[in-house]
Amino acid sequence: MTVNPSGWRPSTPTNERDETHTVTGNRALMLEEPLIFEIGNTEQTGVDFAEVPQRATRLGGLERNREIGLPGLSEPETVRHYTRLSRQNYAIDLGLFPLGSCTMKHNPRLNEKVARMPGFADLHPLQPQETVQGALQVINELAFWLLALTGMDSVAMSPKAGAHGELCGLLCIRAALEARGDKREVVLVPESAHGTNPATAAFAGYRVENIPANAAGRVDLEALKARLGPDVAAVMITNPNTCGLFEPDMKAISDSVHAAGAFVYCDGANFNAIVGKVRPGDLGIDAMHINLHKTFSTPHGGGGPGSGPVVLSQALAPFGPLPFVAKYADGTYKIVEEENAAEEHPNAFGRMVAFHGQMGMFTRALAYILSHGADGLKQVAEDSVLNANYILRRLADVLDAPFAASGPCMHEAIFSDKGFADDVNTLDLAKALIDEGFHPMTMYFPLVVHGAMLVEPTETESKASLDQFIEAVRSIARRAKAGDPSLKAAPIYAPRRRLDETLAARNPVLVYREPPTAQAAE
Ligand SMILES: *Cc1c(COP(=O)(O)O)cnc(C)c1O
């Protein structure tokens, strides 16, 4: 295969009267950038490789027998290509990222400085343990603070994301049930749960059953109690839930779940709303993952990295996974692995990862916790809740806020599309937000709210930035109610206009296909 060295092509106007058309496709400093397949070619490279000496291959017939066909660019072209692409990416360092349920907050540069210290950044996971005592101490101290903040008994540090932590927690629950010879098959998940909860339960081999939400957006306690029985292994509850609401009946829920012989899994991804205020251990929770990459600021988005330690109750602690870091009386740290687990941790359900977890996220999270201190973390919860309530109240006269009447929200505010003109929907509002320079909020989630718009400002946004966002949403909401037809065309200022998202989701084209050339078409 050869890749067509097509180089640059002049852009074509989308219609004759397109006043924003330019020959280059660029719009002032908004630079257009084609795919590398369109501008690169197989004859070009930014590096010089020596001729490969001929020698007998040991690949047993599996060696490549034709050109790899990857397009190349010179070094300056490569730098520009990726820098231009990076400028088309919206990031928390550029502006407000109001995605509900994602906790996109500012990542303090102090964390980055600490994580880049060579003593942390240059470690190898197979290094002898006596040479990495400082790193093990960081893992151990972070574990200590996570336990202090949650009031739980032990913590599995190794899971690498929230969903991974959910799986870890459910595997602990399964191991605890099996240890008492109890084969339970059902996990109950309220409607207000995050989507990963039912997915995790199904992945762990459980049958998932829904528990309805009540009119106030909370778990229907009576419906839950009515369903509990000897087949229920666990209940998975997100608290604060995905409507941005605290479950005030949490202790009563835990008590009835325990009375029925089951365990309480709490999705703690929204811990930033309650950190320093409520300890999940006091609410009777048995397992909860903490998204370090949300609550404790370590960066995420774009696919990683994440870190999802799971705190465990006394009942589940013996079943937590290997490996973990233990501190010994002489002040040294050791990683407890399969070889030395027999006497120290014989009931581990197994392991989640090859090594010890996300070291870079541990250092960032510990830097965040220590730099905030106990009072600072409490203020994180207060400010994230204050910011969300500010948005809720400043928008409640232009957007329907289904739970606003039942009191303040927690860290995120939820709105519905009720009151929009017939042919205008949530997607149109979100697209118009792009024209105003904002990443859209979470849309159509949670499912319990029609045309949901879920906004999480986090504690790191200033009042000025919230006010700007609020004014943008207010103006678009008015247009949505009035049925402004131009909303259907939004975004009009973005490098790409409205895309056929249904087609893209149903029929994704994941490899580059050369467009037919004029000749071939003849
Ligand atoms: C983000 C989130 C998850 C999943 O966490 P990942 O790290 O993305 O796997 C689970 N539950 C809730 C409530 C979340 O916000």
Side-chain angles (χ1 to χ4, degrees):
M1 182 185 90
T2 58
V3 171
N4 175 25
S6 45
W8 178 81
R9 288 193 211 102
S11 88
T12 46
T14 44
N15 66 56
E16 276 168 30
R17 283 171 297 125
D18 185 353
E19 285 155 21
T20 61
H21 174 254
T22 56
V23 172
T24 53
N26 299 332
R27 290 190 168 90
L29 297 182
M30 279 286 284
L31 300 175
E32 185 52 62
E33 185 62 13
L35 297 173
I36 196 166
F37 298 100
E38 294 167 317
I39 51 171
N41 71 69
T42 50
E43 305 306 315
Q44 201 170 10
T45 169
V47 279
D48 288 328
F49 290 116
E51 274 301 306
V52 182
Q54 289 297 326
R55 56 166 67 109
T57 148
R58 290 187 288 166
L59 291 174
L62 294 174
E63 68 270 24
R64 188 183 301 283
N65 54 20
R66 57 195 162 100
E67 294 285 320
I68 192 167
L70 290 179
L73 296 171
S74 71
E75 181 174 311
E77 286 171 338
T78 306
V79 170
R80 281 192 184 155
H81 176 68
Y82 289 105
T83 305
R84 288 176 176 209
L85 289 182
S86 76
R87 284 170 43 123
Q88 295 186 358
N89 202 5
Y90 194 84
I92 194 69
D93 287 351
L94 282 173
L96 181 99
F97 216 122
L99 276 179
S101 202
C102 281
T103 317
M104 302 296 288
K105 60 166 84 166
H106 168 67
N107 298 288
R109 292 303 181 266
L110 175 68
N111 302 358
E112 299 303 316
K113 194 171 171 180
V114 172
R116 282 169 174 70
M117 287 164 67
F120 296 128
D122 296 346
L123 297 182
H124 192 283
L126 291 175
Q127 228 166 296
Q129 291 183 32
E130 64 274 17
T131 67
V132 290
Q133 288 290 302
L136 299 185
Q137 185 179 352
V138 163
I139 299 178
N140 200 254
E141 287 205 2
L142 177 60
F144 169 83
W145 287 115
L146 296 180
L147 294 178
L149 290 167
T150 57
M152 299 287 278
D153 199 73
S154 78
V155 55
M157 296 297 288
S158 61
K160 295 203 173 182
H164 204 211
E166 290 171 27
L167 182 62
C168 175
L170 283 197
L171 294 178
C172 288
I173 289 172
R174 158 162 294 163
L177 287 169
E178 278 174 1
R180 66 180 198 219
D182 198 342
K183 283 198 184 61
R184 294 172 178 238
E185 294 174 347
V186 176
V187 168
L188 303 180
V189 180
E191 277 179 353
S192 57
H194 192 266
T196 48
N197 295 188
T200 301
F203 189 73
Y206 286 104
R207 214 167 65 235
V208 180
E209 280 184 34
N210 252 319
I211 295 294
N214 63 23
R218 270 85 173 186
V219 174
D220 185 335
L221 180 59
E222 292 316 311
L224 173 67
K225 279 186 182 163
R227 179 56 191 89
L228 286 170
D231 59 338
V232 174
V235 176
M236 293 182 90
I237 292 190
T238 306
N239 196 14
N241 71 25
T242 51
C243 297
L245 302 172
F246 191 72
E247 293 287 351
D249 290 334
M250 196 63 221
K251 186 69 172 69
I253 291 172
S254 301
D255 289 345
S256 33
V257 171
H258 290 151
F263 290 95
V264 180
Y265 188 92
C266 179
D267 180 329
N270 299 329
F271 192 46
N272 68 316
I274 57 173
V275 62
K277 292 285 185 180
V278 182
R279 299 190 317 161
D282 298 334
L283 301 176
I285 283 152
D286 292 295
M288 180 182 95
H289 70 267
I290 300 170
N291 290 48
L292 296 186
H293 52 290
K294 293 180 181 171
T295 303
F296 298 114
S297 86
T298 59
H300 73 303
S307 183
V310 181
V311 287
L312 299 169
S313 65
Q314 208 171 4
L316 291 184
F319 306 98
L322 299 169
F324 61 91
V325 174
K327 186 176 182 181
Y328 290 83
D330 64 356
T332 60
Y333 298 88
K334 200 166 79 184
I335 300 171
V336 179
E337 295 270 11
E338 278 83 351
E339 305 85 84
N340 51 357
E343 65 275 21
E344 309 214 22
H345 195 59
N347 297 317
F349 73 73
R351 59 195 297 144
M352 298 294 294
V353 298
F355 294 112
H356 335 301
Q358 297 281 30
M359 192 63 210
M361 304 310 249
F362 296 157
T363 45
R364 287 175 175 91
L366 186 60
Y368 186 83
I369 289 173
L370 294 181
S371 59
H372 276 71
D375 56 336
L377 287 177
K378 208 180 260 180
Q379 200 184 335
V380 162
E382 288 168 2
D383 290 353
S384 67
V385 171
L386 180 66
N387 278 357
N389 278 283
Y390 182 63
I391 286 183
L392 179 67
R393 298 301 155 186
R394 288 277 329 269
L395 292 177
D397 61 329
V398 290
L399 285 177
D400 173 58
F403 305 118
S406 67
C409 61
M410 296 298 287
H411 59 303
E412 48 198 6
I414 191 160
F415 304 96
S416 87
D417 61 0
K418 194 167 146 195
F420 285 9
D422 277 350
D423 53 346
V424 177
N425 56 36
T426 293
L427 184 71
D428 301 324
L429 181 140
K431 295 296 180 190
L433 257 184
I434 296 175
D435 278 335
E436 294 287 352
F438 290 104
H439 192 288
M441 63 277 276
T442 292
M443 296 180 285
Y444 300 106
F445 177 83
L447 305 176
V448 288
V449 168
H450 194 270
M453 285 161 272
L454 186 63
V455 180
E456 179 176 5
T458 81
E459 73 281 4
T460 59
E461 292 302 327
S462 66
K463 180 166 178 297
S465 94
L466 296 183
D467 283 337
Q468 192 192 33
F469 173 73
I470 286 165
E471 288 313 318
V473 176
R474 289 185 70 82
S475 105
I476 302 166
R478 281 193 216 102
R479 290 164 64 199
K481 284 181 160 168
D484 178 354
S486 72
L487 277 181
K488 285 283 169 203
I492 55 174
Y493 300 120
R496 294 292 174 273
R497 304 288 297 270
R498 186 86 63 111
L499 304 175
D500 186 341
E501 291 173 12
T502 311
L503 182 68
R506 294 271 157 80
N507 184 22
V509 179
L510 303 175
V511 290
Y512 177 70
R513 289 194 200 127
E514 231 174 286
T517 58
Q519 268 170 326
E522 275 164 18

